[in-house]
């Protein structure tokens, strides 16, 4: 129900349904504050090897000179803030907790399944092909459809450029990933994390890996919140001017036969300021068979995962809790 949205009320105390048991709390004082994830200048030298290195060591990197116009990034964040400032009745019309819906405003992660809530509201949109989905998108704020469509187009192009570099870095043809993943769907999550009265007791999003192939994240420039697991420690990914954050999803881990890593990450919240992030997910076509690329399977490195369809994978992903074991573990070869 729409009254579950947290962005429609002011909260002076954290409701009990958001409080994590002691052992699951974020332990914010143990997070590495000033670690760096790799930064790749897409207009600079050695792009392919730098991306390959980042995918293998961190599963995350930031890109600059990425071709997405900076004013469009700013406009996207601005319209996202305007959207979440709409009056409650306006937002209520868009609310749904059915993950099968192609346009919905929701809260937490999966309110039908989870036992503890997360301090996040989110708008989820299907974005490709645009002509098919835009007619169902919000009409308010008035610039929403134009701004978000333009942003989606640019991000998709960037995604395909990244696929080419990632494929090449694995020794595959530059169009390998794009072809192997079929006609790509594209989804967007506009994540809004309001100020939280007790950030040390809860999450915006608990630790998870992304089930899709590649994620491009536009982060609030003022407020940090994304953290990535690296060598057993949580490291903070601080916003970098003009950069976009890229991460490998489960499907590229499978395709690379485990060489590239879809790593655990989470969003934490804070008591001072709201935070916005806009995640664009490139997702394989539902019925294409996904598995390790043939040339990456050798006697010394046998296939780590079996072949499966994304439809099968996605159903499994949404039937679990976010912070259970890595979903790909369920698709390991048994031999
Ligand atoms: C996501 C995600 C991180 C963030 O939407 O999958 O990991 O910082 N978001 O909002
Ligand atoms: Ni994620």
């Amino acid at each position: 129900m729409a009254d579950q949205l947290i962005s429609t009320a002011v909260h002076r105390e954290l409701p009990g349904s958001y409080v994590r048991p002691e052992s699951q709390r974020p332990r914010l004082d143990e997070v590495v504050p000033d670690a760096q994830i790799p930064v790749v200048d897409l207009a600079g030298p050695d792009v392919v090897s730098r991306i390959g290195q980042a995918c293998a060591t961190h599963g995350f990197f930031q890109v600059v000179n990425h071709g997405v116009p900076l004013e469009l990034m700013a406009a996207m964040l601005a319209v996202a803030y305007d959207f979440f400032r709409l009056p409650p009745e306006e937002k209520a019309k868009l609310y749904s907790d059915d993950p099968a819906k192609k346009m919905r405003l929701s809260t937490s992660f999966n309110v039908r399944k989870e036992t503890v809530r997360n301090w996040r509201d989110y708008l989820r949109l299907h974005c490709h092909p645009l002509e098919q989905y835009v007619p169902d998108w919000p009409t308010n704020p008035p610039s929403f459809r134009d701004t978000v469509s333009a942003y989606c187009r640019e991000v998709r192009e960037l995604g395909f450029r990244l696929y080419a570099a990632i494929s090449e870095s694995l020794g595959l043809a530059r169009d390998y990933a794009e072809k192997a993943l079929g006609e790509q769907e594209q989804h967007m999550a506009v994540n809004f994390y309001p100020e939280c009265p007790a950030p040390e007791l809860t999450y915006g999003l608990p630790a998870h890996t992304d089930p899709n192939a590649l994620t491009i994240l536009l982060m609030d420039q003022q407020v940090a919140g994304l953290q990535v697991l690296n060598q057993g420690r949580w490291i903070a990914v601080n916003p970098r001017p003009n950069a976009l954050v890229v991460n490998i999803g489960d499907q590229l881990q499978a395709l690379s036969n485990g060489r590239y890593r879809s790593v655990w990450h989470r969003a934490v919240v804070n008591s001072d300021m709201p935070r916005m992030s806009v995640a664009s997910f490139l997702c394989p076509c539902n019925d294409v068979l996904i598995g390790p690329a043939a040339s990456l399977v050798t006697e010394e490195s046998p296939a780590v995962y079996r072949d499966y369809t994304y439809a099968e994978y996605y159903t499994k992903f949404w039937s679990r809790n976010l912070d259970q074991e890595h979903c790909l573990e369920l698709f390991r070869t048994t031999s």
Side-chain angles (χ1 to χ4, degrees):
M1 276 173 356
D3 56 7
Q4 305 188 48
L5 291 171
I6 49 175
S7 59
T8 49
V10 173
H11 301 266
R12 305 209 184 283
E13 263 177 60
L14 188 69
S17 52
Y18 292 83
V19 176
R20 295 266 159 185
E22 184 92 45
S23 64
Q24 291 176 16
R25 293 182 187 164
R27 298 168 182 265
L28 297 172
D29 51 342
E30 291 174 20
V31 172
V32 182
D34 49 5
Q36 290 292 329
I37 61 166
V39 179
V40 181
D41 179 350
L42 294 188
D46 306 326
V47 169
V48 170
S49 64
R50 285 181 192 195
I51 287 182
Q53 182 70 24
C55 293
T57 58
H58 287 73
F60 263 82
F61 52 100
Q62 308 216 46
V63 287
V64 292
N65 289 319
H66 41 61
V68 179
L70 303 180
E71 33 328 325
L72 192 53
M73 289 164 56
M76 177 69 235
L77 283 172
V79 82
Y81 269 108
D82 288 344
F83 174 83
F84 280 98
R85 283 191 207 107
L86 290 174
E89 6 13 301
E90 188 85 5
K91 287 197 274 188
K93 292 187 228 158
L94 305 174
Y95 184 84
S96 165
D97 50 30
D98 177 3
K101 284 228 162 144
K102 300 189 170 177
M103 198 286 297
R104 65 193 177 104
L105 175 61
S106 196
T107 191
S108 190
F109 168 65
N110 191 354
V111 286
R112 292 183 178 183
K113 284 247 157 244
E114 65 207 4
T115 47
V116 187
R117 289 287 167 89
N118 304 296
W119 201 253
R120 169 183 80 142
D121 285 348
Y122 64 105
L123 177 68
R124 222 182 139 94
L125 305 170
H126 281 221
C127 314
H128 183 80
L130 282 164
E131 318 77 76
Q132 185 179 336
Y133 295 115
V134 173
D136 296 327
W137 286 4
T139 45
N140 217 350
S143 64
F144 185 92
R145 290 184 176 185
D146 282 352
T147 303
V148 180
S149 302
Y151 178 77
C152 285
R153 276 197 197 93
E154 294 284 346
V155 158
R156 189 175 181 84
E157 249 183 68
L158 171 61
F160 287 122
R161 279 172 64 206
L162 292 169
Y163 275 157
I166 289 168
S167 301
E168 188 179 342
S169 72
L170 286 165
L172 303 168
R174 277 179 71 82
D175 62 357
Y176 184 89
E178 187 176 338
K179 285 212 172 119
L181 299 169
E183 177 62 15
Q184 300 270 309
E185 288 197 16
Q186 182 177 349
H187 301 175
M188 174 182 278
V190 184
N191 300 311
F192 181 59
Y193 307 99
E195 297 100 312
C196 176
E200 64 288 352
L201 303 183
T202 193
Y203 291 99
L205 266 178
H208 66 282
T209 66
D210 289 350
N212 52 297
L214 189 75
T215 303
I216 299 175
L217 188 73
L218 166 60
M219 300 205 301
D220 203 305
Q221 293 284 299
Q222 323 302 328
V223 199
L226 174 65
Q227 302 180 344
V228 175
L229 194 61
N230 184 249
Q231 301 184 331
R233 300 193 68 183
W234 288 102
I235 63 178
V237 179
N238 297 318
R240 185 182 185 93
N242 308 332
L244 289 163
V245 176
V246 179
N247 70 283
I248 297 290
D250 295 354
Q251 305 316 314
L252 285 181
Q253 176 167 332
L255 185 147
S256 73
N257 202 23
R259 282 216 237 159
Y260 289 176
R261 305 191 315 124
S262 173
V263 305
W264 295 93
H265 55 285
R266 65 187 193 180
V268 299
V269 289
N270 74 85
S271 52
D272 303 326
M273 297 231 269
R275 173 172 177 263
M276 188 74 68
S277 76
V278 180
S280 294
F281 305 107
L282 285 179
C283 317
C285 164
N286 265 329
D287 49 15
V288 77
L289 263 191
I290 298 174
S295 65
L296 301 180
V297 177
T298 60
E299 225 159 278
E300 301 82 64
S301 62
V304 182
Y305 308 107
R306 68 168 171 87
D307 290 351
Y308 55 82
T309 61
Y310 189 55
E312 181 189 354
Y313 196 90
Y314 206 62
T315 307
K316 216 160 237 162
F317 181 84
W318 278 94
S319 67
R320 304 151 56 252
N321 274 321
L322 252 197
D323 43 7
Q324 277 171 334
E325 68 173 342
H326 204 306
C327 191
L328 259 182
E329 290 301 312
L330 307 171
F331 295 83
R332 255 184 199 279
T333 47
T334 40
S335 53

